[in-house]
Amino acid sequence: MSEFQLYFTLGKDHILDYANGYDHILFVVALCAIYLMRDWKKLLILVTAFTIGHSITLALATLKIIVVNSDLIEFLIPLTIFITAFSNIFRRTEVTDRTTYTNYGYALFFGLIHGMGFSNYLQAILGKNKSIVSPLFAFNVGLEVGQIIIVSIFMVISFILVDLFTLNRRDWKLVISSAIAGIALVLMKNTYPW
């Protein structure tokens, strides 16, 4: 297995690992909860914004340019999930350009926080590698592919329930967002660092 394949697989598995990476899955689903299948281009940009943010702080933290208390990050990650899901509850059902741009900002900024959460693990794997550019690139490509898989699965389920079985779109958004917000509150309680 090449180095690219190794780090690509690590990135993809990091996001798809529902036992250990469920926080990322919850965040991505919370981001998607207000969109429909026809919004796939907006969703692709949204996921990429998250990956960009994740990549920036993952690189900075792995290189030890920034050092943040890991307990604080473990609390901030579910906080980002809660904010995203909770804000969905009060959003209008129709997605406007303003909503989309706000979500791009959420995804990018919250991606910065999520990226710091994985840096210790990546530092341990990279060891004394002189260059982290190639491994980080491969990892983040894998992360992006994993997120696209999650988005695709969620959007197919959404399409089936909302478009084919005519489940009320507002109800679907409320159920998904409320459930994720509730889970995030429990995670916040369990990771509260003070």
Side-chain angles (χ1 to χ4, degrees):
M1 178 180 281
S2 72
E3 182 182 67
F4 182 88
Q5 288 174 313
L6 173 68
Y7 287 102
F8 173 87
T9 302
L10 277 173
K12 182 175 62 64
D13 291 349
H14 169 63
I15 195 76
L16 294 176
D17 181 1
Y18 61 88
N20 296 311
Y22 59 89
D23 54 344
H24 277 74
I25 294 170
L26 289 172
F27 182 73
V28 171
V29 171
L31 283 174
C32 297
I34 63 171
Y35 294 97
L36 294 175
M37 188 71 87
R38 67 176 177 251
D39 299 316
W40 68 270
K41 289 180 186 175
K42 292 175 184 176
L43 282 167
L44 187 58
I45 294 169
L46 194 65
V47 167
T48 302
F50 177 77
T51 301
I52 290 168
H54 193 279
S55 302
I56 291 168
T57 51
L58 184 57
L60 293 174
T62 302
L63 292 169
K64 297 184 181 174
I65 294 171
I66 58 170
V67 178
V68 181
N69 180 324
S70 61
D71 290 338
L72 177 62
I73 295 303
E74 290 304 314
F75 173 75
L76 290 176
I77 288 172
L79 178 62
T80 65
I81 298 166
F82 177 78
I83 292 169
T84 304
F86 189 73
S87 68
N88 287 347
I89 294 168
F90 297 100
R91 287 204 174 135
R92 295 176 188 217
T93 303
E94 287 304 315
V95 178
T96 64
D97 286 342
R98 181 179 173 154
T99 303
T100 299
Y101 292 126
T102 301
N103 274 359
Y104 293 160
Y106 271 152
L108 180 65
F109 180 71
F110 291 165
L112 293 170
I113 294 169
H114 284 243
M116 288 184 271
F118 197 67
S119 62
N120 289 337
Y121 176 70
L122 195 58
Q123 284 172 2
I125 292 172
L126 288 172
K128 301 289 183 190
N129 277 2
K130 295 197 189 302
S131 173
I132 66 162
V133 174
S134 178
L136 272 176
F137 175 74
F139 179 84
N140 285 304
V141 170
L143 182 77
E144 182 80 355
V145 168
Q147 291 178 148
I148 290 170
I149 290 169
I150 292 166
V151 168
S152 299
I153 292 168
F154 179 77
M155 294 314 295
V156 166
I157 293 168
S158 179
F159 175 77
I160 291 168
L161 294 175
V162 174
D163 293 325
L164 296 182
F165 290 118
T166 63
L167 180 69
N168 183 292
R169 180 178 176 186
R170 180 179 167 276
D171 293 346
W172 171 246
K173 175 190 74 165
L174 288 174
V175 167
I176 294 296
S177 298
S178 298
I180 292 173
I183 294 167
L185 280 174
V186 172
L187 293 173
M188 288 165 56
K189 179 185 169 287
N190 292 340
T191 59
Y192 189 70
W194 300 283

